Amino acid sequence: MDAIHISTARRIMEENEFSVSFLTAAGEIRHIDRAVSLRYDYLTGTRNIKCLFDDRPPNIRRIRDVFIYEINDIEVYI
């Protein structure tokens, strides 16, 4: 399986719509099929993303980049 560095994953998130899998603060695994990055805070390492759904309104989540382990079905390493 291929893997990409977190810096490459950041570029993907800034330029395109993407799918993302990440760990929550509670240790749960979450997967979002369609998301768009809204804002990135380099100092805290957090990112606001808009989750796009087909059957309900979009919502906004804040995630930490270090908890992202997959972008567009490609493993991410730090």
Side-chain angles (χ1 to χ4, degrees):
M1 176 186 255
D2 293 332
I4 58 174
H5 190 262
I6 189 69
S7 61
T8 306
R10 285 182 185 129
R11 283 194 300 270
I12 291 171
M13 289 187 279
E14 290 300 322
E15 297 172 0
N16 302 319
E17 185 177 299
F18 55 90
S19 67
V20 62
S21 297
F22 58 94
L23 295 171
T24 65
E28 300 171 344
I29 295 174
R30 297 287 169 108
H31 180 77
I32 299 171
D33 288 323
R34 294 177 53 217
V36 176
S37 181
L38 299 176
R39 181 177 175 272
Y40 177 64
D41 185 353
Y42 181 79
L43 295 176
T44 61
T46 58
R47 171 181 309 278
N48 290 345
I49 61 171
K50 182 186 282 188
C51 308
L52 306 172
F53 303 107
D54 293 332
D55 57 344
R56 58 185 175 185
N59 68 1
I60 296 175
R61 295 189 60 109
R62 176 174 291 174
I63 60 174
R64 293 190 180 273
D65 279 359
V66 295
F67 291 140
I68 296 172
Y69 67 90
E70 199 172 72
I71 295 285
N72 293 338
D73 298 325
I74 302 171
E75 188 176 334
V76 176
Y77 65 90
I78 298 178

